[in-house]
Amino acid sequence: MKNKKQAVTIKGTKDGLTFTIDETSSMEHILQELKSKLSSKVIDQDQPVIKVNIDTGNRYLTSEMKEQMQEIVRSKPNLVINEIHSNVITKEEAKDWYKDLEISAITKIVRAGQQLHVHGDLLLIGDVNPGGTVSATGNVYILGKLNGIAHAGIEGDPEAIIAAAYMNPTQLRISGFLSRSPDFETEGLYMECAYVNQDTDKILIDRLQSLSTIRPDLGSIERRMING
């Protein structure tokens, strides 16, 4: 008789413990084996607090399933759940992910007092007048004059950029970084882009031609999947 396939594999790492869950096993089998292994000598009760990462692979876990696993792990006073990771996402999460990959092309002039915000990247064919504001969760591209405020990576992406045919903003923001004119150098006559320099944590301005060097992965879906 063949041995039953392991539903839970426990591996020690420098960051704690990783529990790998067999995605083909039943949830009942997984919970039973998890209890059994945590009750064995695999876990030394005299050790200090240990972080636990649970990798469920291609198995989707409901909130109830996660809570059941968490209860078993929490029954050991020296174990703390750090992360439960799954390769599977919900339909709602997938919709949000695709929304952040979209490029919204809008033709208009953003006048003083007006605000324009989109999920994903913004491609504005028009000007942003002084007092006008444009923002996006992704990058901001302006085929016109940027004389107002632009905010890219508004939900916390410091890799986002702002590009404009004519760069003369009253304020630039990328993620949580802020720059006001004339804190940055700009010629204002060429296609230019603003980005966060990771060495100085400051927003810098450069020619648009430099973008391939500054952000070589810009527009790559793989990069967004890793960061997302």
Side-chain angles (χ1 to χ4, degrees), residues 9-59:
T9 303
I10 300 178
K11 181 179 180 181
T13 69
K14 64 179 182 179
D15 298 320
L17 294 173
T18 297
F19 295 0
T20 302
I21 306 301
D22 175 43
E23 58 195 43
T24 63
S25 298
S26 69
M27 197 62 197
E28 181 181 3
H29 184 201
I30 291 169
L31 295 175
Q32 288 176 346
E33 189 165 313
L34 188 57
K35 282 182 181 179
S36 175
K37 289 194 171 182
L38 291 184
S39 297
S40 70
K41 293 182 180 180
V42 172
I43 305 300
D44 185 352
Q45 298 293 329
D46 295 328
Q47 287 183 338
V49 173
I50 302 171
K51 291 182 179 180
V52 173
N53 294 302
I54 300 177
D55 186 354
T56 65
N58 293 325
R59 174 188 289 275

Side-chain angles (χ1 to χ4, degrees), residues 20 69 100 108-109 175 208 214:
T20 302
M69 296 178 71
D100 285 337
K108 68 174 295 183
I109 296 174
S175 184
L208 197 60
I214 297 167

Side-chain angles (χ1 to χ4, degrees), residues 1 9 20 28 47 52-53 68 78 97 139 145 148 159 203 224 226:
M1 183 176 178
T9 303
T20 302
E28 181 181 3
Q47 287 183 338
V52 173
N53 294 302
Q68 288 175 319
N78 59 332
W97 181 71
N139 306 300
K145 297 179 180 180
E159 293 289 304
I203 296 178
R224 297 191 188 188
I226 292 171

Side-chain angles (χ1 to χ4, degrees), residues 14-227:
K14 64 179 182 179
D15 298 320
L17 294 173
T18 297
F19 295 0
T20 302
I21 306 301
D22 175 43
E23 58 195 43
T24 63
S25 298
S26 69
M27 197 62 197
E28 181 181 3
H29 184 201
I30 291 169
L31 295 175
Q32 288 176 346
E33 189 165 313
L34 188 57
K35 282 182 181 179
S36 175
K37 289 194 171 182
L38 291 184
S39 297
S40 70
K41 293 182 180 180
V42 172
I43 305 300
D44 185 352
Q45 298 293 329
D46 295 328
Q47 287 183 338
V49 173
I50 302 171
K51 291 182 179 180
V52 173
N53 294 302
I54 300 177
D55 186 354
T56 65
N58 293 325
R59 174 188 289 275
Y60 174 70
L61 293 183
T62 64
S63 298
E64 183 181 356
M65 290 176 179
K66 287 182 181 180
E67 183 58 33
Q68 288 175 319
M69 296 178 71
Q70 288 172 335
E71 282 184 7
I72 294 173
V73 174
R74 285 197 295 255
S75 68
K76 301 301 176 182
N78 59 332
L79 296 185
V80 176
I81 295 284
N82 181 53
E83 180 184 25
I84 298 179
H85 174 73
S86 172
N87 295 332
V88 182
I89 61 176
T90 64
K91 184 183 291 186
E92 290 72 23
E93 289 171 331
K95 286 180 179 178
D96 290 340
W97 181 71
Y98 278 113
K99 189 183 293 183
D100 285 337
L101 292 179
E102 290 179 348
I103 297 179
S104 298
I106 299 173
T107 302
K108 68 174 295 183
I109 296 174
V110 180
R111 305 183 188 280
Q114 294 181 331
Q115 296 184 2
L116 174 62
H117 173 72
V118 302
H119 280 273
D121 293 349
L122 169 63
L123 173 60
L124 176 65
I125 304 170
D127 299 336
V128 182
N129 289 350
T133 301
V134 293
S135 61
T137 59
N139 306 300
V140 173
Y141 306 100
I142 300 171
L143 296 183
K145 297 179 180 180
L146 173 55
N147 291 318
I149 299 171
H151 189 173
I154 198 168
E155 292 183 353
D157 182 7
E159 293 289 304
I161 64 100
I162 299 169
Y166 183 90
M167 183 82 77
N168 185 37
T170 54
Q171 184 186 101
L172 291 179
R173 298 188 69 176
I174 298 176
S175 184
F177 298 90
L178 172 67
S179 182
R180 291 186 177 88
S181 180
D183 293 342
F184 45 82
E185 294 183 359
T186 175
E187 297 180 27
L189 297 174
Y190 304 94
M191 291 288 289
E192 294 179 315
C193 62
Y195 65 98
V196 175
N197 183 292
Q198 302 297 337
D199 296 326
T200 63
D201 283 344
K202 291 183 178 180
I203 296 178
L204 301 181
I205 302 288
D206 206 335
R207 297 286 186 89
L208 197 60
Q209 291 90 329
S210 303
L211 201 53
S212 60
T213 302
I214 297 167
R215 293 286 185 267
D217 294 330
L218 185 66
S220 166
I221 291 178
E222 291 79 9
R223 176 182 74 84
R224 297 191 188 188
M225 288 178 65
I226 292 171
N227 292 341

